[in-house]
């Protein structure tokens, strides 16, 4: 099948390659001319035969502008797919705007990171049946082989909603491994911390791909000495917690893992300064000074 692909970074570039290996005709556009097949979005749309399908795989901050520009270039019967980590609440208004021009819209949560080119991408899809059916050849080639790794989760917004929850779970899982790792390191009982992590990869209840990746990181640097304990976030964890609050869903583990990232960015914690000050005020307990 023919596909336009906008955004050829770590994810989009690998997806283009996987789709080409599967025999699809992919025309890619990126602002970086060194990786782009065409010079502009207009060129990209011009190279595709109607009805067109264009997959947008750009950072969340530029998705809206990219889709608006594409909408001005595309026609009735075409489909735009957003495979980035957009907030689910952007999807329905976007689909309505595109719908006034007769352009279909599908939102896809894509998981698998830089490994997806080899193992396939987990795809969580939202959109109308007729649009999703038309794009199935593309989804079939991107997803992993085997029965899992693809879901048509519901109407527009469902794909990004599922991906948001997936990423919230990702935060919580990573943080549980991280806390276990720290306790192992702190203990006077265990000498071989990387060995314990490695051993868990087979035969245990906690084996997982994230655990495999922690083992890989420890193989590269057994003390993680070259990495600062500082973690950014790009929105999905916050949105998951916001949704938990909106729907009154208890979300202790994921919320704690999100807040741990915030704490990782502080040189000194104003909250803990306040705790130390209060202990001094009510009990005369010693405070540490700079
Ligand atoms: O979608 C992904 C993996 O599934 C991204 O890698 C993930 O969103 C990174 O998020 P954050 O920067 O918030 O940790």
């Amino acid at each position: 099948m023919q596909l336009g692909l906008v955004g050829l970074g770590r994810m989009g570039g690998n997806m283009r390659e996987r789709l080409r290996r599967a025999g699809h005709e992919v025309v890619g556009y990126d602002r970086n001319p060194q990786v782009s097949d065409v010079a502009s979005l207009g060129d990209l749309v011009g190279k595709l035969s109607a009805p067109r399908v264009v997959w947008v795989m750009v950072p969340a901050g530029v998705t809206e502008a990219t889709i608006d520009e594409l909408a001005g270039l595309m026609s009735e019967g075409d489909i735009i797919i957003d495979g980035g980590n957009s907030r689910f609440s952007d999807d329905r208004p976007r689909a309505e705007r595109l719908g006034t021009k007769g352009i279909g819209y599908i939102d896809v949560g894509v998981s698998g990171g830089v490994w997806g080119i080899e193992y396939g991408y987990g795809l969580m899809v939202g959109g109308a049946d007729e649009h999703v059916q038309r794009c199935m050849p593309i989804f079939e080639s991107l997803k992993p082989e085997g029965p899992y790794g693809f879901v048509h989760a519901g109407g527009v917004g469902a794909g990004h909603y599922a991906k948001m929850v997936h990423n919230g779970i990702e935060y919580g899982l990573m943080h549980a491994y991280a806390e276990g790792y720290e306790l192992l390191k702190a203990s006077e009982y265990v000498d071989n911390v990387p060995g314990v992590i490695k051993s868990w990869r087979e035969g245990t209840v906690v084996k997982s791909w994230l655990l495999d990746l922690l083992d890989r990181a420890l193989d590269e640097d057994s003390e993680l000495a070259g990495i600062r304990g500082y973690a950014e976030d790009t929105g999905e964890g916050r949105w998951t917690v916001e949704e938990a609050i909106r729907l009154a869903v208890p979300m202790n583990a994921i919320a704690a893992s999100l807040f741990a990232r915030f704490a990782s960015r502080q040189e000194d914690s104003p909250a803990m300064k306040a705790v130390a000050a209060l202990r001094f005020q009510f009990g005369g307990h010693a405070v540490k000074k700079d």
Side-chain angles (χ1 to χ4, degrees), residues 176-200 206 211 214 218 223:
Y177 287 125
E179 288 186 354
Y181 166 73
E182 181 168 348
L183 185 59
L184 287 170
K185 271 180 76 72
S187 163
E188 65 279 46
Y189 281 87
V190 174
D191 298 327
N192 184 0
V193 174
V196 173
I197 300 287
K198 193 178 288 296
S199 76
W200 289 347
V206 297
L211 183 75
L214 178 57
L218 291 170
E223 295 291 326

PDB file of all heavy atoms in Angstrom, residues 176-200 206 211 214 218 223:
ATOM      1  N   ALA A 176       9.133   0.615  40.038  1.00  0.00           N
ATOM      2  CA  ALA A 176       9.224  -0.538  40.948  1.00  0.00           C
ATOM      3  C   ALA A 176      10.573  -1.242  40.779  1.00  0.00           C
ATOM      4  O   ALA A 176      11.241  -1.577  41.774  1.00  0.00           O
ATOM      5  CB  ALA A 176       8.071  -1.498  40.678  1.00  0.00           C
ATOM      6  N   TYR A 177      11.000  -1.457  39.529  1.00  0.00           N
ATOM      7  CA  TYR A 177      12.329  -2.049  39.311  1.00  0.00           C
ATOM      8  C   TYR A 177      13.413  -1.157  39.917  1.00  0.00           C
ATOM      9  O   TYR A 177      14.369  -1.631  40.523  1.00  0.00           O
ATOM     10  CB  TYR A 177      12.606  -2.248  37.821  1.00  0.00           C
ATOM     11  CG  TYR A 177      11.818  -3.383  37.206  1.00  0.00           C
ATOM     12  CD1 TYR A 177      11.009  -3.166  36.088  1.00  0.00           C
ATOM     13  CD2 TYR A 177      11.896  -4.666  37.712  1.00  0.00           C
ATOM     14  CE1 TYR A 177      10.288  -4.204  35.518  1.00  0.00           C
ATOM     15  CE2 TYR A 177      11.177  -5.712  37.156  1.00  0.00           C
ATOM     16  CZ  TYR A 177      10.374  -5.468  36.053  1.00  0.00           C
ATOM     17  OH  TYR A 177       9.670  -6.497  35.499  1.00  0.00           O
ATOM     18  N   ALA A 178      13.251   0.158  39.726  1.00  0.00           N
ATOM     19  CA  ALA A 178      14.276   1.096  40.192  1.00  0.00           C
ATOM     20  C   ALA A 178      14.393   1.065  41.718  1.00  0.00           C
ATOM     21  O   ALA A 178      15.509   1.069  42.264  1.00  0.00           O
ATOM     22  CB  ALA A 178      13.933   2.503  39.711  1.00  0.00           C
ATOM     23  N   GLU A 179      13.268   1.000  42.401  1.00  0.00           N
ATOM     24  CA  GLU A 179      13.324   0.964  43.868  1.00  0.00           C
ATOM     25  C   GLU A 179      13.932  -0.346  44.356  1.00  0.00           C
ATOM     26  O   GLU A 179      14.726  -0.367  45.315  1.00  0.00           O
ATOM     27  CB  GLU A 179      11.927   1.171  44.458  1.00  0.00           C
ATOM     28  CG  GLU A 179      11.443   2.602  44.309  1.00  0.00           C
ATOM     29  CD  GLU A 179      10.111   2.862  45.015  1.00  0.00           C
ATOM     30  OE1 GLU A 179       9.496   1.893  45.524  1.00  0.00           O
ATOM     31  OE2 GLU A 179       9.695   4.028  45.042  1.00  0.00           O
ATOM     32  N   GLY A 180      13.572  -1.445  43.693  1.00  0.00           N
ATOM     33  CA  GLY A 180      14.167  -2.739  44.068  1.00  0.00           C
ATOM     34  C   GLY A 180      15.666  -2.715  43.863  1.00  0.00           C
ATOM     35  O   GLY A 180      16.436  -3.195  44.715  1.00  0.00           O
ATOM     36  N   TYR A 181      16.084  -2.133  42.753  1.00  0.00           N
ATOM     37  CA  TYR A 181      17.519  -2.012  42.448  1.00  0.00           C
ATOM     38  C   TYR A 181      18.228  -1.218  43.546  1.00  0.00           C
ATOM     39  O   TYR A 181      19.285  -1.620  44.046  1.00  0.00           O
ATOM     40  CB  TYR A 181      17.660  -1.336  41.077  1.00  0.00           C
ATOM     41  CG  TYR A 181      19.043  -0.844  40.753  1.00  0.00           C
ATOM     42  CD1 TYR A 181      20.058  -1.741  40.432  1.00  0.00           C
ATOM     43  CD2 TYR A 181      19.339   0.517  40.775  1.00  0.00           C
ATOM     44  CE1 TYR A 181      21.343  -1.288  40.150  1.00  0.00           C
ATOM     45  CE2 TYR A 181      20.609   0.982  40.492  1.00  0.00           C
ATOM     46  CZ  TYR A 181      21.608   0.076  40.185  1.00  0.00           C
ATOM     47  OH  TYR A 181      22.871   0.518  39.905  1.00  0.00           O
ATOM     48  N   GLU A 182      17.620  -0.105  43.950  1.00  0.00           N
ATOM     49  CA  GLU A 182      18.277   0.725  44.978  1.00  0.00           C
ATOM     50  C   GLU A 182      18.394  -0.025  46.300  1.00  0.00           C
ATOM     51  O   GLU A 182      19.419   0.055  46.987  1.00  0.00           O
ATOM     52  CB  GLU A 182      17.518   2.053  45.181  1.00  0.00           C
ATOM     53  CG  GLU A 182      18.213   2.934  46.223  1.00  0.00           C
ATOM     54  CD  GLU A 182      17.697   4.368  46.279  1.00  0.00           C
ATOM     55  OE1 GLU A 182      16.947   4.783  45.371  1.00  0.00           O
ATOM     56  OE2 GLU A 182      18.064   5.061  47.244  1.00  0.00           O
ATOM     57  N   LEU A 183      17.333  -0.785  46.655  1.00  0.00           N
ATOM     58  CA  LEU A 183      17.392  -1.527  47.926  1.00  0.00           C
ATOM     59  C   LEU A 183      18.467  -2.611  47.868  1.00  0.00           C
ATOM     60  O   LEU A 183      19.226  -2.799  48.829  1.00  0.00           O
ATOM     61  CB  LEU A 183      16.018  -2.133  48.245  1.00  0.00           C
ATOM     62  CG  LEU A 183      15.914  -2.830  49.602  1.00  0.00           C
ATOM     63  CD1 LEU A 183      16.239  -1.861  50.741  1.00  0.00           C
ATOM     64  CD2 LEU A 183      14.531  -3.425  49.809  1.00  0.00           C
ATOM     65  N   LEU A 184      18.558  -3.290  46.739  1.00  0.00           N
ATOM     66  CA  LEU A 184      19.616  -4.303  46.596  1.00  0.00           C
ATOM     67  C   LEU A 184      20.990  -3.667  46.786  1.00  0.00           C
ATOM     68  O   LEU A 184      21.869  -4.214  47.460  1.00  0.00           O
ATOM     69  CB  LEU A 184      19.549  -4.963  45.214  1.00  0.00           C
ATOM     70  CG  LEU A 184      18.399  -5.940  44.959  1.00  0.00           C
ATOM     71  CD1 LEU A 184      18.340  -6.300  43.481  1.00  0.00           C
ATOM     72  CD2 LEU A 184      18.551  -7.203  45.810  1.00  0.00           C
ATOM     73  N   LYS A 185      21.166  -2.482  46.182  1.00  0.00           N
ATOM     74  CA  LYS A 185      22.465  -1.803  46.275  1.00  0.00           C
ATOM     75  C   LYS A 185      22.767  -1.351  47.714  1.00  0.00           C
ATOM     76  O   LYS A 185      23.911  -1.345  48.139  1.00  0.00           O
ATOM     77  CB  LYS A 185      22.492  -0.578  45.349  1.00  0.00           C
ATOM     78  CG  LYS A 185      22.975  -0.909  43.945  1.00  0.00           C
ATOM     79  CD  LYS A 185      22.983   0.331  43.070  1.00  0.00           C
ATOM     80  CE  LYS A 185      24.133   1.269  43.361  1.00  0.00           C
ATOM     81  NZ  LYS A 185      25.431   0.793  42.914  1.00  0.00           N
ATOM     82  N   ALA A 186      21.714  -0.958  48.427  1.00  0.00           N
ATOM     83  CA  ALA A 186      21.911  -0.443  49.783  1.00  0.00           C
ATOM     84  C   ALA A 186      22.219  -1.563  50.789  1.00  0.00           C
ATOM     85  O   ALA A 186      22.844  -1.324  51.829  1.00  0.00           O
ATOM     86  CB  ALA A 186      20.662   0.324  50.224  1.00  0.00           C
ATOM     87  N   SER A 187      21.798  -2.775  50.462  1.00  0.00           N
ATOM     88  CA  SER A 187      21.882  -3.860  51.445  1.00  0.00           C
ATOM     89  C   SER A 187      23.309  -4.390  51.619  1.00  0.00           C
ATOM     90  O   SER A 187      24.069  -4.486  50.658  1.00  0.00           O
ATOM     91  CB  SER A 187      20.968  -5.005  50.985  1.00  0.00           C
ATOM     92  OG  SER A 187      21.312  -6.182  51.678  1.00  0.00           O
ATOM     93  N   GLU A 188      23.619  -4.763  52.848  1.00  0.00           N
ATOM     94  CA  GLU A 188      24.921  -5.375  53.121  1.00  0.00           C
ATOM     95  C   GLU A 188      24.884  -6.873  52.829  1.00  0.00           C
ATOM     96  O   GLU A 188      25.896  -7.549  52.913  1.00  0.00           O
ATOM     97  CB  GLU A 188      25.349  -5.114  54.577  1.00  0.00           C
ATOM     98  CG  GLU A 188      24.501  -5.747  55.670  1.00  0.00           C
ATOM     99  CD  GLU A 188      23.231  -4.957  56.000  1.00  0.00           C
ATOM    100  OE1 GLU A 188      22.519  -4.534  55.069  1.00  0.00           O
ATOM    101  OE2 GLU A 188      22.931  -4.795  57.200  1.00  0.00           O
ATOM    102  N   TYR A 189      23.723  -7.415  52.433  1.00  0.00           N
ATOM    103  CA  TYR A 189      23.606  -8.853  52.212  1.00  0.00           C
ATOM    104  C   TYR A 189      23.998  -9.276  50.797  1.00  0.00           C
ATOM    105  O   TYR A 189      24.546 -10.347  50.597  1.00  0.00           O
ATOM    106  CB  TYR A 189      22.151  -9.308  52.460  1.00  0.00           C
ATOM    107  CG  TYR A 189      21.829  -9.455  53.930  1.00  0.00           C
ATOM    108  CD1 TYR A 189      21.377  -8.366  54.663  1.00  0.00           C
ATOM    109  CD2 TYR A 189      21.987 -10.663  54.572  1.00  0.00           C
ATOM    110  CE1 TYR A 189      21.092  -8.476  56.008  1.00  0.00           C
ATOM    111  CE2 TYR A 189      21.709 -10.799  55.928  1.00  0.00           C
ATOM    112  CZ  TYR A 189      21.258  -9.704  56.638  1.00  0.00           C
ATOM    113  OH  TYR A 189      20.985  -9.825  57.972  1.00  0.00           O
ATOM    114  N   VAL A 190      23.677  -8.425  49.815  1.00  0.00           N
ATOM    115  CA  VAL A 190      23.843  -8.841  48.419  1.00  0.00           C
ATOM    116  C   VAL A 190      25.119  -8.231  47.844  1.00  0.00           C
ATOM    117  O   VAL A 190      25.287  -7.011  47.860  1.00  0.00           O
ATOM    118  CB  VAL A 190      22.613  -8.406  47.578  1.00  0.00           C
ATOM    119  CG1 VAL A 190      22.838  -8.696  46.104  1.00  0.00           C
ATOM    120  CG2 VAL A 190      21.361  -9.111  48.070  1.00  0.00           C
ATOM    121  N   ASP A 191      26.009  -9.097  47.345  1.00  0.00           N
ATOM    122  CA  ASP A 191      27.250  -8.600  46.731  1.00  0.00           C
ATOM    123  C   ASP A 191      27.094  -8.355  45.244  1.00  0.00           C
ATOM    124  O   ASP A 191      27.713  -7.451  44.695  1.00  0.00           O
ATOM    125  CB  ASP A 191      28.383  -9.637  46.916  1.00  0.00           C
ATOM    126  CG  ASP A 191      28.681  -9.876  48.378  1.00  0.00           C
ATOM    127  OD1 ASP A 191      28.544  -8.904  49.159  1.00  0.00           O
ATOM    128  OD2 ASP A 191      29.013 -11.026  48.738  1.00  0.00           O
ATOM    129  N   ASN A 192      26.286  -9.197  44.601  1.00  0.00           N
ATOM    130  CA  ASN A 192      26.220  -9.167  43.136  1.00  0.00           C
ATOM    131  C   ASN A 192      24.853  -8.645  42.667  1.00  0.00           C
ATOM    132  O   ASN A 192      23.970  -9.426  42.299  1.00  0.00           O
ATOM    133  CB  ASN A 192      26.478 -10.582  42.599  1.00  0.00           C
ATOM    134  CG  ASN A 192      26.524 -10.614  41.086  1.00  0.00           C
ATOM    135  OD1 ASN A 192      26.372  -9.584  40.418  1.00  0.00           O
ATOM    136  ND2 ASN A 192      26.713 -11.800  40.524  1.00  0.00           N
ATOM    137  N   VAL A 193      24.702  -7.327  42.702  1.00  0.00           N
ATOM    138  CA  VAL A 193      23.398  -6.738  42.334  1.00  0.00           C
ATOM    139  C   VAL A 193      23.079  -6.965  40.847  1.00  0.00           C
ATOM    140  O   VAL A 193      21.983  -7.453  40.519  1.00  0.00           O
ATOM    141  CB  VAL A 193      23.347  -5.237  42.700  1.00  0.00           C
ATOM    142  CG1 VAL A 193      22.062  -4.592  42.192  1.00  0.00           C
ATOM    143  CG2 VAL A 193      23.492  -5.068  44.201  1.00  0.00           C
ATOM    144  N   PRO A 194      23.999  -6.668  39.913  1.00  0.00           N
ATOM    145  CA  PRO A 194      23.664  -6.937  38.505  1.00  0.00           C
ATOM    146  C   PRO A 194      23.322  -8.408  38.273  1.00  0.00           C
ATOM    147  O   PRO A 194      22.466  -8.729  37.453  1.00  0.00           O
ATOM    148  CB  PRO A 194      24.947  -6.535  37.748  1.00  0.00           C
ATOM    149  CG  PRO A 194      25.643  -5.582  38.649  1.00  0.00           C
ATOM    150  CD  PRO A 194      25.331  -6.038  40.037  1.00  0.00           C
ATOM    151  N   GLY A 195      23.991  -9.302  39.031  1.00  0.00           N
ATOM    152  CA  GLY A 195      23.717 -10.739  38.883  1.00  0.00           C
ATOM    153  C   GLY A 195      22.290 -11.084  39.306  1.00  0.00           C
ATOM    154  O   GLY A 195      21.632 -11.919  38.678  1.00  0.00           O
ATOM    155  N   VAL A 196      21.806 -10.451  40.366  1.00  0.00           N
ATOM    156  CA  VAL A 196      20.419 -10.711  40.804  1.00  0.00           C
ATOM    157  C   VAL A 196      19.445 -10.248  39.726  1.00  0.00           C
ATOM    158  O   VAL A 196      18.518 -10.974  39.342  1.00  0.00           O
ATOM    159  CB  VAL A 196      20.122  -9.998  42.151  1.00  0.00           C
ATOM    160  CG1 VAL A 196      18.640 -10.121  42.502  1.00  0.00           C
ATOM    161  CG2 VAL A 196      20.986 -10.571  43.262  1.00  0.00           C
ATOM    162  N   ILE A 197      19.668  -9.027  39.222  1.00  0.00           N
ATOM    163  CA  ILE A 197      18.774  -8.497  38.170  1.00  0.00           C
ATOM    164  C   ILE A 197      18.786  -9.447  36.964  1.00  0.00           C
ATOM    165  O   ILE A 197      17.728  -9.813  36.434  1.00  0.00           O
ATOM    166  CB  ILE A 197      19.232  -7.078  37.734  1.00  0.00           C
ATOM    167  CG1 ILE A 197      19.215  -6.107  38.923  1.00  0.00           C
ATOM    168  CG2 ILE A 197      18.411  -6.560  36.553  1.00  0.00           C
ATOM    169  CD1 ILE A 197      17.875  -5.664  39.415  1.00  0.00           C
ATOM    170  N   LYS A 198      19.987  -9.868  36.560  1.00  0.00           N
ATOM    171  CA  LYS A 198      20.094 -10.759  35.391  1.00  0.00           C
ATOM    172  C   LYS A 198      19.350 -12.076  35.648  1.00  0.00           C
ATOM    173  O   LYS A 198      18.632 -12.578  34.782  1.00  0.00           O
ATOM    174  CB  LYS A 198      21.572 -11.018  35.083  1.00  0.00           C
ATOM    175  CG  LYS A 198      21.816 -11.663  33.719  1.00  0.00           C
ATOM    176  CD  LYS A 198      23.298 -11.867  33.429  1.00  0.00           C
ATOM    177  CE  LYS A 198      24.057 -10.619  33.132  1.00  0.00           C
ATOM    178  NZ  LYS A 198      23.621  -9.920  31.900  1.00  0.00           N
ATOM    179  N   SER A 199      19.499 -12.609  36.843  1.00  0.00           N
ATOM    180  CA  SER A 199      18.880 -13.910  37.149  1.00  0.00           C
ATOM    181  C   SER A 199      17.361 -13.854  37.028  1.00  0.00           C
ATOM    182  O   SER A 199      16.710 -14.835  36.701  1.00  0.00           O
ATOM    183  CB  SER A 199      19.264 -14.365  38.559  1.00  0.00           C
ATOM    184  OG  SER A 199      18.518 -13.639  39.527  1.00  0.00           O
ATOM    185  N   TRP A 200      16.801 -12.678  37.305  1.00  0.00           N
ATOM    186  CA  TRP A 200      15.329 -12.547  37.278  1.00  0.00           C
ATOM    187  C   TRP A 200      14.765 -12.614  35.856  1.00  0.00           C
ATOM    188  O   TRP A 200      13.548 -12.688  35.675  1.00  0.00           O
ATOM    189  CB  TRP A 200      14.918 -11.202  37.898  1.00  0.00           C
ATOM    190  CG  TRP A 200      15.099 -11.127  39.387  1.00  0.00           C
ATOM    191  CD1 TRP A 200      15.338 -12.156  40.255  1.00  0.00           C
ATOM    192  CD2 TRP A 200      15.046  -9.937  40.183  1.00  0.00           C
ATOM    193  NE1 TRP A 200      15.449 -11.680  41.531  1.00  0.00           N
ATOM    194  CE2 TRP A 200      15.273 -10.323  41.527  1.00  0.00           C
ATOM    195  CE3 TRP A 200      14.840  -8.598  39.910  1.00  0.00           C
ATOM    196  CZ2 TRP A 200      15.290  -9.413  42.580  1.00  0.00           C
ATOM    197  CZ3 TRP A 200      14.848  -7.677  40.945  1.00  0.00           C
ATOM    198  CH2 TRP A 200      15.070  -8.080  42.271  1.00  0.00           C
ATOM    199  N   VAL A 206       8.713 -11.676  37.920  1.00  0.00           N
ATOM    200  CA  VAL A 206       8.939 -10.267  37.548  1.00  0.00           C
ATOM    201  C   VAL A 206       9.717 -10.118  36.239  1.00  0.00           C
ATOM    202  O   VAL A 206      10.150  -9.020  35.892  1.00  0.00           O
ATOM    203  CB  VAL A 206       9.654  -9.477  38.672  1.00  0.00           C
ATOM    204  CG1 VAL A 206       8.789  -9.432  39.920  1.00  0.00           C
ATOM    205  CG2 VAL A 206      11.034 -10.049  38.976  1.00  0.00           C
ATOM    206  N   LEU A 211      12.733  -5.222  32.466  1.00  0.00           N
ATOM    207  CA  LEU A 211      13.790  -5.823  33.286  1.00  0.00           C
ATOM    208  C   LEU A 211      14.985  -6.199  32.399  1.00  0.00           C
ATOM    209  O   LEU A 211      16.143  -5.986  32.772  1.00  0.00           O
ATOM    210  CB  LEU A 211      13.254  -7.056  34.014  1.00  0.00           C
ATOM    211  CG  LEU A 211      14.275  -7.704  34.957  1.00  0.00           C
ATOM    212  CD1 LEU A 211      14.454  -6.893  36.223  1.00  0.00           C
ATOM    213  CD2 LEU A 211      13.887  -9.132  35.291  1.00  0.00           C
ATOM    214  N   LEU A 214      16.927  -3.159  31.867  1.00  0.00           N
ATOM    215  CA  LEU A 214      17.716  -2.756  33.046  1.00  0.00           C
ATOM    216  C   LEU A 214      18.992  -3.588  33.102  1.00  0.00           C
ATOM    217  O   LEU A 214      20.088  -3.080  33.366  1.00  0.00           O
ATOM    218  CB  LEU A 214      16.883  -2.919  34.325  1.00  0.00           C
ATOM    219  CG  LEU A 214      17.602  -2.581  35.626  1.00  0.00           C
ATOM    220  CD1 LEU A 214      18.153  -1.144  35.625  1.00  0.00           C
ATOM    221  CD2 LEU A 214      16.681  -2.778  36.828  1.00  0.00           C
ATOM    222  N   LEU A 218      22.880  -2.314  32.942  1.00  0.00           N
ATOM    223  CA  LEU A 218      23.889  -2.681  33.951  1.00  0.00           C
ATOM    224  C   LEU A 218      25.072  -3.399  33.311  1.00  0.00           C
ATOM    225  O   LEU A 218      26.199  -3.301  33.806  1.00  0.00           O
ATOM    226  CB  LEU A 218      23.243  -3.539  35.049  1.00  0.00           C
ATOM    227  CG  LEU A 218      22.251  -2.774  35.938  1.00  0.00           C
ATOM    228  CD1 LEU A 218      21.466  -3.738  36.827  1.00  0.00           C
ATOM    229  CD2 LEU A 218      22.967  -1.730  36.794  1.00  0.00           C
ATOM    230  N   GLU A 223      27.501   0.148  37.600  1.00  0.00           N
ATOM    231  CA  GLU A 223      27.099   1.031  38.715  1.00  0.00           C
ATOM    232  C   GLU A 223      26.203   2.170  38.227  1.00  0.00           C
ATOM    233  O   GLU A 223      25.870   3.070  38.998  1.00  0.00           O
ATOM    234  CB  GLU A 223      28.343   1.641  39.364  1.00  0.00           C
ATOM    235  CG  GLU A 223      29.266   0.634  40.045  1.00  0.00           C
ATOM    236  CD  GLU A 223      28.634   0.037  41.306  1.00  0.00           C
ATOM    237  OE1 GLU A 223      27.895   0.766  41.998  1.00  0.00           O
ATOM    238  OE2 GLU A 223      28.864  -1.153  41.573  1.00  0.00           O
TER     239      GLU A 223
END
